[in-house]
Amino acid sequence: MNQADEQTTDDYGERAVDEDEQSRLVLSAHPLQRVGAYALAFLGKAASPEHLTPEAFEKAVKAVIDDAVRAALERDTKGENGFWLKSSLSFFPNSKMNHLSNAKKSDDVIRDAVRTWRTCPEPQVRPAVACVLCGRGAVGFFGKVDVPLAESDLYRNSTPRGHSGMALCRPCLCSFYALPYGCRLTGGPSIALHSWDERFMARTLSRRVERNRQCIALGRSDPRGVSAREVLALQALRHHDDRLAAGVDLLVFSNNNRGQTLDIQSMEQPVAEWLRRSARLPPRRRGFSALLRAHATADRPGVVGLARNAFRSPERIAGACGRYLTSRLDRGLIRDDTADLAELCFSLTIEVMRMNQNEVDEIRAAGGQVAAWLKAEDSAGKLREFNATLKEPKRMRYWLMRRNIDALLDTTGRIDGPLVTETQFRLLFDPEVEHAWLHRQLLIVSVVQRLHELRFKPEDRAEVASEMADEEKEHPEDIDYVKGEEE
Ligand SMILES: [Zn+2]
C-alpha cells in the first residue's frame, strides 16, 4: 500500500506539502546516499534524482520492496535465486528480509514482515527532528539494519543522544534501500564508485543499475569477475564521454554482522581526466596500450597496476613508464612503442603533475642533444653506460659534463653546441629544484624517444631474440580494456 500517494491526494495544506517532499529525492553530502539516490532515480526511469517525480519515486520504491520480498521468499542464499538475498546480508543484516527465522515462516508472514519493515512510519509517530542528511523532516531514527555504516564511527556525530541511529527523511532512507542496485556486488564487500561530477554519476550508475537488474532477473551474481576493485574506476572512466569536473572515489564497504568496514580511495581529478582522455582519444590510444604493457607483470594485467598507481600517486605512473622505456637499453635496444608512450608520459607530467611546459621543453632539448651524441657514437655500450647513471645523480652529472667537453671539442660537426646547458644542468641536479629526480627520469625518456626517431640501431646491440616476443604477451583483460569491452 502506498501511504504517500493517499495522503497527497486526500490532504491539502501543509501536510500535503510535507508528504510531497517525502517523495522527492535530494542529493546530500553523503556519498552512499548519493549513489543510492541515483540508483533509485534510474529504477524510476528518470534522468537524475532531481528529475524523479513523486509518482515515479513511489513506483521505484515499490519495485525495490518487491525485489526484497522475492529475495526473502527464497529463504536460502544458496538457492536458485539466492543472489539478491545473499547481497542483502552485507547491506541490511538481520533485517526482515534475511532473518534466520525466515526458514520456518510461511510466505505470507515473510511478505508482510518485509513490507512492514519498509513502510514509512505514520506522520503521528515521526520525531520532530530534521533529517541529518538533507534537513527536511525526518520520519524516524534508523540504525544498521536500514543504513550501511549508520553506527560506525564515521557517522556517530550525527546521532542524537539516546538514539542508536540516524534521523532520516523517507527519500534519504529509500536511497539507502536502493543502494545495492548502485554497487558492484562481489559476494563480499560491495564496491561503490562516487564522484561530485553529476554527469559521471549518472552515466556510471545507470550502467550499474542496468547490470544489477539483469543479475536480479537471472537470479545470479555478475559472472564477470573483478580482477581488482580499482579497475572499476578505470572502466567507468573509459566509458565516460565528457570532461570530468571532479575526481573519483572508490568506496569498498560491508555492513554485515561480522563487522562494519569502509575503505575509501580517491583519485584526483587531473589524473582521472588524463586517464579518461588517454583511453579514449585516438591519438593517445596507441600510447595507452604501451602504458598498460608498462604496468603489466607476468601474472597481473597492466590495467590493475595502472589503476592502483592512479589512486596512490601519478608519479608512480611516470616511474613505470620510465622503467619500461629503459628496460632494454642494457641490450642496446629501443622499444618499438617508445614514441607513443614517451608522448603520453610527457602529457602526464604537464596535465597531471603540473610541470612547467618551459622546463619540460628544456629537458627534451637536452635529451635531443644527448641522443644526437649517442647516435653519432653508434654504440649500444655508450647508451647502456648513460642509462646506468640514472641510479646515481653524481655519476649522471659527471657523465654529462664529460660529454659536454667532448662535444665542445668535437670538430667533426656531429654535435651542435653543448649537450646540456647551464639552465638544464640546474633543472637536473640543483638540490633546490623540487623535482630534479623526475627531470632526470624525463631526460632518459626524451633520449630514448629521440633515438627511436633517429632509428638508432648500433652494430653492437643484442639480437632481437624470440624470447622478447614472449615477454610482450598481452593480458586479455588489457586488450579488452583498450577496445572498451564491458567488464
Ligand atoms: Zn533527507
Side-chain angles (χ1 to χ4, degrees):
M1 144 161 135
N2 205 321
Q3 266 186 355
D5 269 356
E6 259 185 17
Q7 284 159 353
T8 44
T9 47
D10 293 344
D11 292 353
Y12 295 95
E14 219 169 282
R15 191 159 134 185
V17 173
D18 284 353
E19 285 310 296
D20 185 65
E21 194 176 78
Q22 294 293 351
S23 306
R24 282 191 188 275
L25 282 175
V26 294
L27 291 168
S28 74
H30 190 310
L32 295 181
Q33 185 270 337
R34 286 166 49 80
V35 170
Y38 272 95
L40 202 53
F42 295 128
L43 289 170
K45 299 189 168 38
S48 74
E50 296 88 353
H51 288 97
L52 188 69
T53 62
E55 297 71 39
F57 172 88
E58 297 305 337
K59 271 193 194 157
V61 169
K62 184 176 178 302
V64 172
I65 297 174
D66 289 347
D67 282 342
V69 168
R70 254 195 309 280
L73 293 177
E74 284 294 321
R75 294 179 182 82
D76 180 3
T77 58
K78 295 186 190 70
E80 203 181 327
N81 291 304
F83 153 72
W84 203 237
L85 183 62
K86 183 163 191 273
S87 303
S88 77
L89 293 168
S90 53
F91 288 86
F92 317 110
N94 277 342
S95 69
K96 299 293 179 193
M97 187 174 171
N98 50 39
H99 203 273
L100 274 178
S101 63
N102 282 2
K104 298 188 209 92
K105 290 179 183 158
S106 72
D107 283 8
D108 284 344
V109 170
I110 293 175
R111 197 178 288 118
D112 286 349
V114 173
R115 292 214 165 114
T116 308
W117 163 47
R118 289 288 177 94
T119 299
C120 183
E122 296 288 345
Q124 53 275 20
V125 299
R126 296 178 194 170
V129 295
C131 167
V132 292
L133 298 182
C134 73
R136 298 178 299 182
V139 294
F141 291 96
F142 302 90
K144 73 172 278 184
V145 170
D146 299 276
V147 183
L149 312 170
E151 288 153 36
S152 79
D153 291 344
L154 258 184
Y155 306 115
R156 201 164 282 167
N157 290 343
S158 60
T159 304
R161 210 181 283 272
H163 287 286
S164 59
M166 298 164 85
L168 292 175
C169 68
R170 181 162 172 257
C172 286
L173 174 66
C174 290
S175 301
F176 288 111
Y177 290 149
L179 179 61
Y181 296 84
C183 295
R184 179 64 162 92
L185 304 164
T186 68
S190 305
I191 309 170
L193 268 182
H194 172 262
S195 173
W196 300 104
D197 181 321
E198 306 301 341
R199 275 190 299 197
F200 177 80
M201 285 291 272
R203 177 100 175 92
T204 305
L205 266 306
S206 71
R207 286 162 49 81
R208 181 60 61 204
V209 170
E210 200 44 52
R211 188 72 60 76
N212 278 330
R213 291 187 66 205
Q214 286 165 7
C215 292
I216 295 171
L218 296 171
R220 58 169 169 72
S221 61
D222 202 327
R224 288 159 279 219
V226 193
S227 55
R229 53 180 67 162
E230 293 91 345
V231 171
L232 286 182
L234 247 59
Q235 276 161 348
L237 292 171
R238 173 77 184 77
H239 290 283
H240 190 56
D241 302 318
D242 301 304
R243 188 183 176 279
L244 272 180
V248 176
D249 308 310
L250 188 68
L251 295 94
V252 183
F253 64 96
S254 175
N255 194 40
N256 79 12
N257 274 334
R258 273 165 283 159
Q260 301 182 352
T261 58
L262 170 65
D263 177 38
I264 304 176
Q265 295 186 71
S266 297
M267 191 191 294
E268 302 288 331
Q269 187 273 342
V271 69
E273 173 60 12
W274 178 80
L275 285 169
R276 189 193 71 78
R277 285 159 56 107
S278 301
R280 293 180 62 90
L281 298 183
R284 291 195 179 180
R285 290 273 293 282
R286 274 181 324 209
F288 203 87
S289 297
L291 183 68
L292 293 177
R293 285 194 288 278
H295 282 87
T297 61
D299 49 10
R300 193 189 68 192
V303 70
V304 175
L306 176 62
R308 289 185 175 157
N309 279 349
F311 275 104
R312 285 165 200 166
S313 130
E315 287 174 6
R316 292 180 187 224
I317 300 176
C321 292
R323 277 193 299 281
Y324 177 80
L325 289 172
T326 55
S327 62
R328 289 179 181 175
L329 298 189
D330 57 345
R331 285 170 282 188
L333 296 171
I334 310 262
R335 290 178 177 272
D336 293 338
D337 50 11
T338 294
D340 297 327
L341 183 58
E343 218 40 60
L344 203 53
C345 187
F346 284 115
S347 71
L348 175 84
T349 61
I350 304 268
E351 293 168 24
V352 182
M353 299 167 78
R354 305 284 184 220
M355 268 182 73
N356 179 306
Q357 180 75 55
N358 289 340
E359 292 180 355
V360 173
D361 291 347
E362 285 289 348
I363 286 158
R364 295 182 83 165
Q369 285 289 78
V370 173
W373 186 87
L374 286 166
K375 171 74 176 163
E377 289 291 313
D378 199 32
S379 156
K382 290 277 193 284
L383 174 60
R384 184 165 55 232
E385 193 183 279
F386 170 62
N387 183 42
T389 66
L390 183 61
K391 294 189 190 87
E392 276 180 71
K394 261 190 192 163
R395 269 178 66 201
M396 186 189 256
R397 188 190 171 99
Y398 177 79
W399 193 94
L400 289 172
M401 282 172 70
R402 191 59 235 259
R403 299 295 96 75
N404 244 7
I405 294 166
D406 292 350
L408 290 169
L409 296 178
D410 183 70
T411 50
T412 61
R414 293 180 306 180
I415 311 293
D416 192 17
L419 250 59
V420 180
T421 65
E422 216 179 305
T423 309
Q424 292 159 359
F425 260 113
R426 199 181 57 74
L427 287 173
L428 291 166
F429 302 107
D430 191 336
E432 305 270 293
V433 172
E434 201 185 342
H435 291 301
W437 63 270
L438 178 63
H439 296 163
R440 292 192 291 272
Q441 186 122 47
L442 290 180
L443 176 70
I444 303 235
V445 171
S446 10
V447 170
V448 290
Q449 185 185 29
R450 185 69 189 131
L451 284 175
H452 182 254
E453 283 168 12
L454 294 170
R455 300 182 190 284
F456 179 70
K457 289 202 169 99
E459 288 295 317
D460 56 340
R461 74 182 195 276
E463 278 310 304
V464 183
S466 58
E467 68 194 64
M468 284 201 183
D470 289 346
E471 211 179 280
E472 291 295 82
K473 259 187 201 144
E474 295 193 45
H475 291 268
E477 195 177 339
D478 289 343
I479 296 169
D480 287 349
Y481 184 82
V482 172
K483 281 198 230 149
E485 300 277 316
E486 297 291 316
E487 91 202 54

